[in-house]
Amino acid sequence: MIAPAVVGGVLLAGPLVALLVRAPWGELGGLLAGPVVLPALGLSFGTAFASTVVCVVLGVPLAAVLAGSDGWPRLLTRVARAVVATPLVLPPVVGGIALLLLLSRTGLLGRPLFAAFGITIPFTTAAVVIAQAFVGLPFLVLSVEGALRGVDPRFAVAAATLGASPWATFLRVTLPLAAPGLAAGAVLSFARALGEFGATITFAGSLPGVTETLPVAAYIALTDDPGSAIAIAVVLVVVALAVLLALRERWLTGLRA
Amino acid sequence: MTGALEARLGVRRGAFELDAELVLAPGTVLAVVGRNGAGKSTALATLAGITPLSGGRIVLDGVLLDDGGRGFEPPERRPVGLVLQQPALFPHLTVLDNVAFGLRAAGAGRADAREQAQHALEDQGLGDFTDRRPSQVSGGQAARIALVRALVRRPALLLLDEPLAAIDAELRPALRASIRGVLDSFPGSAIVVTHDVADAEALADEVVVLDSGRVLQRGPLAGLRAEPADPVVTRLLAGAGQDGGSGG
């Protein structure tokens, strides 16, 4: 039992230790401010923030619909939940290809969009945000749906008998009571967006300053400029650890509330 | 005086069937007593608009609230207040904002709603609790705050579902007296669902005994005691003053 457990621990922690040991700590500041990392840093945090906003705006209504789906036919509920969860199990590259087939100039939705408004989405910053929202949305929806289902229905009954419409009840009572789940879902989808690689490089490409996010920049820099690649990796590890800490805090406050 | 109720409550749910007639004169208090599963809480739920009728009708002060079909008014559009056994104060709002909630829902501005809520709480001697969270008040205080919260909307009909069942036995008489005081100055009518005849005795003008979804007997408590129409009535009324069990 002990030996495989140790191997498992090394498998999980070893790469991180190697990264931290080999990181060029002395030059880190210069690398982060350099021409490879800095544009990617700004782009990544900007697009991850934007895609998190998209996830919240689209995901909360989706979660609310799913949370209220108990009266639906069972098959419909299952299909709806499977659709929401698909990006979790789909290889991101496949997601990127699928987004191209939908939104490229010859795509299902992209063709009429281009014909009517001359809009092209792939290989733009908007495409980065869409790819990130695609992979991040399930985290938000599932987390918020669980939180909404956990809210005691008596609060909604009390709100209704106090004169609140279903919409006001949702906004002022149910959603605030599900806030810890919403925060956890937003943090998770932000983290997922920040790390997004496969769907992004497929659907948005790697144009420096436009679509080259941190993971894409790290991958491309690895052969010519390993220092920059490692610097980016350190940034992403730090963000990942911060997310873990933030979620732990959230869960605790969620339990205390 | 408001709260003239004429209701025939029909609900079918599986094997359970509620078929009860409830009539209230304006300003009066009716106690509905019965065993667990007698249909007491279901009756309240239909009056509040939480459960639609499958038959019968509800008319309050001449306004149709439900006719078992298209004439269904949702809870937020009924002049009906409901206080649940567990007071269900909103845990994310202060006591003051809990009481202001119904006023805000009716369109009052935040400052105005808070001022009215403040006065309503002070009138009930609850002015010290305004800034607290529901988790920071006792069960008895929470029950009284829930009552104030329901009444600031000035409903024509107030529904109380086992208002004392969740309260420690030794604290019940004081809270009962406090509810009595509130009901005395309330211009509408009220229905108190309880399994405890002591509540009916202290709070109500008339008593309805419900069993298996049907009205066994109705009248003033003394009359029911003198001439019980059914052994179930005798047994229920014999429980006077004994606090125990839980509502249903």
Side-chain angles (χ1 to χ4, degrees):
Chain A
M1 285 288 272
I2 299 291
V6 169
V7 174
V10 169
L11 180 62
L12 289 173
L16 290 181
V17 171
L19 180 65
L20 295 180
V21 168
R22 295 291 301 275
W25 293 104
E27 308 153 41
L28 205 60
L31 285 169
L32 290 179
V36 175
V37 184
L38 195 61
L41 201 66
L43 182 71
S44 253
F45 277 89
T47 53
F49 183 75
S51 72
T52 304
V53 171
V54 170
C55 284
V56 169
V57 169
L58 302 180
V60 169
L62 204 50
V65 169
L66 282 179
S69 68
D70 289 344
W72 296 7
R74 251 179 86 179
L75 185 68
L76 189 59
T77 320
R78 281 188 182 179
V79 169
R81 189 153 294 124
V83 167
V84 168
T86 299
L88 288 179
V89 292
L90 204 65
V93 174
V94 176
I97 294 171
L99 283 170
L100 273 177
L101 293 178
L102 181 71
L103 291 171
S104 76
R105 271 187 207 180
T106 55
L108 217 54
L109 245 171
R111 189 198 296 265
L113 219 54
F114 181 65
F117 308 105
I119 294 174
T120 314
I121 291 173
F123 310 108
T124 63
T125 304
V128 176
V129 174
I130 291 172
Q132 291 174 344
F134 176 78
V135 297
L137 197 53
F139 291 96
L140 191 112
V141 172
L142 296 177
S143 174
V144 174
E145 188 203 348
L148 289 175
R149 283 182 183 274
V151 175
D152 190 328
R154 283 176 313 179
F155 293 124
V157 167
T161 62
L162 292 170
S165 66
W167 176 236
T169 297
F170 180 75
L171 277 189
R172 291 193 181 167
V173 176
T174 314
L175 193 57
L177 290 175
L182 175 59
V187 168
L188 281 171
S189 62
F190 179 82
R192 181 68 188 84
L194 203 62
E196 218 304 304
F197 174 77
T200 307
I201 200 163
T202 313
F203 181 52
S206 58
L207 304 167
V210 180
T211 67
E212 193 182 85
T213 56
L214 285 175
V216 175
Y219 180 75
I220 290 171
L222 199 52
T223 42
D224 304 336
D225 185 7
S228 290
I230 296 171
I232 291 173
V234 169
V235 170
L236 291 174
V237 167
V238 168
V239 172
L241 292 178
V243 164
L244 270 185
L245 283 173
L247 285 180
R248 195 175 135 267
E249 191 67 22
R250 256 306 142 200
W251 283 331
L252 285 179
T253 49
L255 287 176
R256 268 191 240 119
Chain B
M1 296 281 231
T2 55
L5 176 73
E6 288 170 51
R8 178 158 202 102
L9 308 175
V11 177
R12 259 173 196 285
R13 209 160 38 200
F16 175 77
E17 193 183 345
L18 174 71
D19 183 9
E21 198 169 341
L22 293 181
V23 178
L24 264 85
T28 57
V29 180
L30 177 75
V32 177
V33 300
R35 298 179 287 192
N36 285 345
K40 306 182 300 253
S41 294
T42 306
L44 284 198
T46 60
L47 292 168
I50 308 302
T51 303
L53 290 180
S54 39
R57 53 198 274 123
I58 298 169
V59 178
L60 181 62
D61 291 325
V63 178
L64 180 73
L65 298 182
D66 194 353
D67 61 2
R70 288 165 164 235
F72 176 78
E73 285 288 321
E76 67 270 18
R77 292 219 297 263
R78 297 186 183 201
V80 176
L82 174 66
V83 177
L84 299 164
Q85 180 180 341
Q86 306 288 338
L89 296 178
F90 305 127
H92 62 299
L93 300 180
T94 61
V95 165
L96 184 67
D97 283 333
N98 262 279
V99 175
F101 185 90
L103 300 165
R104 296 273 288 143
R110 183 190 293 255
D112 188 30
R114 282 190 170 158
E115 198 183 322
Q116 285 187 56
Q118 179 80 38
H119 285 304
L121 284 163
E122 280 166 4
D123 283 348
Q124 292 304 316
L126 294 163
D128 293 342
F129 302 103
T130 50
D131 293 333
R132 294 206 197 167
R133 295 272 162 177
S135 58
Q136 296 167 322
V137 303
S138 74
Q141 287 156 359
R144 291 168 61 206
I145 292 162
L147 197 57
V148 174
R149 181 175 71 167
L151 286 175
V152 286
R153 277 188 77 219
R154 306 186 185 286
L157 173 65
L158 178 68
L159 308 172
L160 303 173
D161 190 1
E162 299 277 8
L164 294 148
I167 305 300
D168 291 338
E170 63 267 30
L171 300 174
R172 274 182 214 174
L175 181 57
R176 203 177 273 134
S178 152
I179 293 175
R180 170 84 239 185
V182 170
L183 290 180
D184 280 344
S185 60
F186 173 55
S189 60
I191 297 179
V192 184
V193 154
T194 179
H195 66 280
D196 185 350
V197 182
D199 296 346
E201 192 155 30
L203 302 175
D205 303 303
E206 271 200 315
V207 176
V208 158
V209 178
L210 208 59
D211 197 55
S212 304
R214 279 165 208 284
V215 174
L216 279 183
Q217 197 173 0
R218 95 162 271 171
L221 187 61
L224 268 59
R225 280 208 169 109
E227 290 176 55
D230 189 285
V232 172
V233 176
T234 315
R235 225 175 307 139
L236 276 168
L237 300 191
Q242 292 174 13
D243 288 321
S246 67

